[in-house]
Amino acid sequence: MATDVLTGPTILGTATRTKAYKNLIDGEWVESSTGETFENRNPADTRDVVGIFQKSGPADVEAAVEAAKHAFKKWRLVPAPRRAEIVYRAAEILQGSKEEFARDMTREMGKVLDETRGDVQEAVDTAYYMAGEGRRMFGPTTPSELPNKFAMAIRQPLGVCGLITPWNFPMAIPSWKLLPAIVCGNTCVIKPAQDTPLSTFNLVRTLVDAGLPKGVINIVTGFGPEVGGPLSEHPDVKAVSLTGSSAVGRIVGQTAAKRFKHCSLELGGKNPMIVLDDANLDLAIEGGLWGGFGTTGQRCTATSRIIVQKGVYGEFIERYVERARALKVGNGMDEETQMGPAVNENQLATDLRYVDIGKAEGARLKCGGNRLTSGDYAHGFFMEPTVFADVDPKMRIAQEEIFGPVVSIIPCEDLEDAIEIANNIEYGLSSSLYTKDVNKAFSAMRDLEAGITYINAPTIGAEVHLPFGGVKSTGNGHREGGVGAIDFFSQWKAVYVDYSDTLQRAQIDRGE
Ligand code: NAD
């Protein structure tokens, strides 16, 4: 599955042995048909090569889909509780490897160890939950309108599923897709983000170690157009599940629509947190820091807009900015670090570009805005936690997803005004309200246009047994997590058994 190859120079300036990872196709660890590879580098220190991965092409996708199609013939017939037992075993293995996998993840994408441990834990939680689903997958058994006739609906698998994932939750998000897909009896080809193939590789390897038969999951690493494109286009891929940007979602959605595939799109966000005058301000500041700068602001649910009522606006800004300035930025491997680097150079450039945009739009830069380059920062993609105040809701920094540690604070008059600002946006993933007034809380729960609303908590922190997903340009209406995932990865079949020994015509033979 992985072999050592010589690479260099490294941190020490000498050649070192780096692991080279292969694709998994039909139970075999194989090199890509292109003969090319790419490096996975540590964004906290780009001299550190985390691994060498296959730069695959359409022929690898073809082979993987063929393997999955073949494996589906047997896998669909394995009883769901037996399929789920393998997923349960995977949960146990993952639990045992949590620290190792968290460290791999911090090294490949930069978020701090506490968070990467949480990412692995989310895969563990999903595995236990989906293992339980193997004994549920309930469908309705319901009375027939005719005598001596039995009616029920059963869930059936779809076939080969193409799964395309982003880099910010490189084990949790693949687990949200892979685990319900296989428990439902599908087979899969997964293409992880090019910045984080190792964490997905660790999940796939765990499932293999847990006893998954060959061909049921296949991993093909590489880039979007060369691997993700052919995977979403392939006629034998019956369902496509993508988590990523709205721009890529639009492409994948259109491709899938041409062949009427099941298609789940979980896309961008620009999530508001509303702080009313009666809020517990200490709690709101704490939450706003965690929501805004956790994962370096690189969460689809990141608290990127904080809408504050005028009575506490000044105090909130002062205290929030002071705390943001004090956040310890550094290598996520250091337990003291509170915010890691941007995932790559492009993302850092985007973050810095939005700082310029915010300044040009006339927002007040209260702290941050600069790349960090001195000392230990010199070889990574670090920037300061950045806060803009007096942001107009129409400004680009308040409307567009930045996906970095840049928070916009927007003043508001009252709850009604805050909800209007919150909703007046293209996206609708997460939202939050800080208040002690239960009436206001319930109004916001009803009126915020988002797939998720938190009361007295920031916009991040989903639990795996609840529906996850958004409205408007955040997606196409599907939900991950909980039973929604089972809904996506299965299709209903209505079954009627007539034991009357006569022809009974529905809607016609009513015995009247
Ligand atoms: P991205 O859209 O650039 O890439 C996502 C995946 O799509 C990657 O694996 C990429 O290689 C692949 N891809 C790129 N072009 C493709 C193409 N033409 N055809 C098929 N596949 C293609 O996103 P990213 O930078 O990896 O992740 C960040 C984005 O993901 C943000 O917009 C964020 O909000 C979103 N996100 C959403 C959720 C959610 O559940 N709503 C969760 C996490 C991240």
Side-chain angles (χ1 to χ4, degrees):
M1 64 185 79
T3 49
D4 286 352
V5 293
L6 213 55
T7 57
T10 67
I11 299 171
L12 301 174
T14 53
T16 186
R17 300 203 82 80
T18 302
K19 280 204 165 80
Y21 296 83
K22 296 179 181 168
N23 289 333
L24 177 69
I25 297 179
D26 206 14
E28 303 289 331
W29 298 98
V30 293
E31 288 176 0
S32 72
S33 61
T34 64
E36 293 178 61
T37 56
F38 65 97
E39 286 177 342
N40 179 7
R41 284 181 183 259
N42 182 344
D45 187 335
T46 54
R47 295 168 300 175
D48 176 23
V49 181
V50 179
I52 310 285
F53 287 85
Q54 303 303 312
K55 189 165 182 290
S56 313
D60 303 299
V61 172
E62 187 64 44
V65 171
E66 189 53 39
K69 192 177 160 190
H70 186 72
F72 179 65
K73 290 181 191 151
K74 280 193 182 158
W75 185 244
R76 64 183 271 272
L77 300 177
V78 175
R82 295 281 94 77
R83 298 194 293 248
E85 279 167 18
I86 297 174
V87 172
Y88 189 93
R89 269 201 298 281
E92 308 267 275
I93 300 171
L94 276 177
Q95 191 98 62
S97 309
K98 182 169 166 179
E99 190 60 25
E100 177 198 337
F101 289 172
R103 286 179 176 274
D104 278 351
M105 196 186 296
T106 293
R107 205 173 146 213
E108 79 169 341
M109 60 78 68
K111 66 185 174 185
V112 301
L113 274 176
D114 257 357
E115 293 189 42
T116 53
R117 288 178 189 126
D119 197 308
V120 179
Q121 185 61 44
E122 201 162 328
V124 172
D125 296 345
T126 302
Y128 282 130
Y129 179 87
M130 288 303 164
E133 272 304 318
R135 286 191 182 268
R136 285 189 293 265
M137 303 228 293
F138 298 134
T141 302
T142 183
S144 164
E145 66 188 40
L146 293 163
N148 298 323
K149 193 173 172 191
F150 187 88
M152 61 186 166
I154 57 171
R155 290 184 185 273
Q156 296 212 299
L158 305 165
V160 179
C161 299
L163 314 176
I164 306 172
T165 52
W167 48 262
N168 64 338
F169 280 85
M171 186 177 282
I173 290 178
S175 79
W176 292 358
K177 299 183 191 299
L178 272 175
L179 304 179
I182 59 179
V183 166
C184 286
N186 304 287
T187 55
C188 302
V189 178
I190 185 163
K191 184 221 124 21
Q194 52 272 21
D195 283 308
T196 53
L198 179 55
S199 297
T200 312
F201 179 95
N202 284 340
L203 176 64
V204 167
R205 198 187 72 193
T206 301
L207 283 158
V208 171
D209 291 349
L212 207 64
K214 68 175 191 169
V216 173
I217 43 171
N218 304 272
I219 179 169
V220 181
T221 57
F223 291 72
E226 293 84 17
V227 181
L231 186 58
S232 47
E233 277 160 26
H234 201 292
D236 288 333
V237 171
K238 301 300 177 196
V240 179
S241 179
L242 164 86
T243 299
S245 58
S246 295
V248 170
R250 205 158 274 126
I251 299 172
V252 169
Q254 285 174 5
T255 306
K258 283 188 201 146
R259 294 189 190 269
F260 307 115
K261 295 178 189 218
H262 282 226
C263 178
S264 167
L265 304 171
E266 296 295 341
L267 310 172
K270 186 76 182 175
N271 312 286
M273 170 178 137
I274 299 170
V275 182
L276 296 184
D277 284 350
D278 72 341
N280 175 339
L281 220 53
D282 293 342
L283 192 66
I285 289 165
E286 206 67 51
L289 287 163
W290 170 228
F293 301 111
T295 321
T296 319
Q298 303 170 130
R299 290 196 187 205
C300 48
T301 52
T303 306
S304 46
R305 298 182 289 153
I306 306 186
I307 304 167
V308 187
Q309 197 171 3
K310 57 188 177 185
V312 290
Y313 187 69
E315 184 186 350
F316 182 90
I317 291 176
E318 194 182 318
R319 292 176 55 195
Y320 185 79
V321 167
E322 190 188 326
R323 292 282 307 276
R325 246 193 218 117
L327 288 173
K328 191 169 181 308
V329 180
N331 190 324
M333 285 293 191
D334 178 349
E335 300 276 0
E336 302 287 297
T337 297
Q338 291 170 295
M339 192 181 98
V343 72
N344 58 34
E345 196 153 20
N346 271 347
Q347 185 57 57
L348 179 64
T350 301
D351 301 343
L352 294 169
R353 195 171 68 248
Y354 273 102
V355 172
D356 290 340
I357 291 170
K359 285 189 204 160
E361 287 178 310
R364 205 151 50 95
L365 181 64
K366 293 293 294 179
C367 70
N370 300 304
R371 181 173 184 170
L372 295 163
T373 51
S374 62
D376 286 348
Y377 296 130
H379 297 283
F381 305 121
F382 296 98
M383 85 176 265
E384 296 166 330
T386 300
V387 181
F388 278 105
D390 300 347
V391 175
D392 184 284
K394 293 199 184 67
M395 288 178 181
R396 287 183 62 192
I397 56 167
Q399 289 286 329
E400 297 172 16
E401 184 182 49
I402 301 173
F403 224 55
V406 183
V407 172
S408 294
I409 303 185
I410 305 170
C412 74
E413 292 294 321
D414 51 23
L415 178 62
E416 203 183 329
D417 186 30
I419 289 182
E420 196 176 322
I421 294 168
N423 288 348
N424 194 4
I425 192 138
E426 178 189 358
Y427 299 105
L429 182 51
S430 188
S431 56
S432 118
L433 171 71
Y434 280 77
T435 184
K436 289 186 190 137
D437 184 330
V438 71
N439 296 355
K440 288 181 175 153
F442 271 85
S443 300
M445 282 149 58
R446 181 193 59 206
D447 295 337
L448 283 167
E449 293 171 1
I452 306 167
T453 295
Y454 292 89
I455 303 298
N456 294 326
T459 54
I460 65 177
E463 299 182 29
V464 305
H465 53 303
L466 275 87
F468 185 92
V471 301
K472 303 197 265 189
S473 298
T474 293
N476 63 346
H478 292 287
R479 292 291 181 268
E480 302 203 283
V483 79
I486 299 293
D487 288 338
F488 178 74
F489 285 109
S490 62
Q491 55 195 344
W492 287 112
K493 176 182 266 193
V495 178
Y496 301 95
V497 182
D498 190 321
Y499 54 100
S500 68
D501 250 358
T502 55
L503 172 66
Q504 301 195 87
R505 297 169 302 170
Q507 293 91 38
I508 298 171
D509 295 324
R510 295 171 55 85
E512 290 165 342

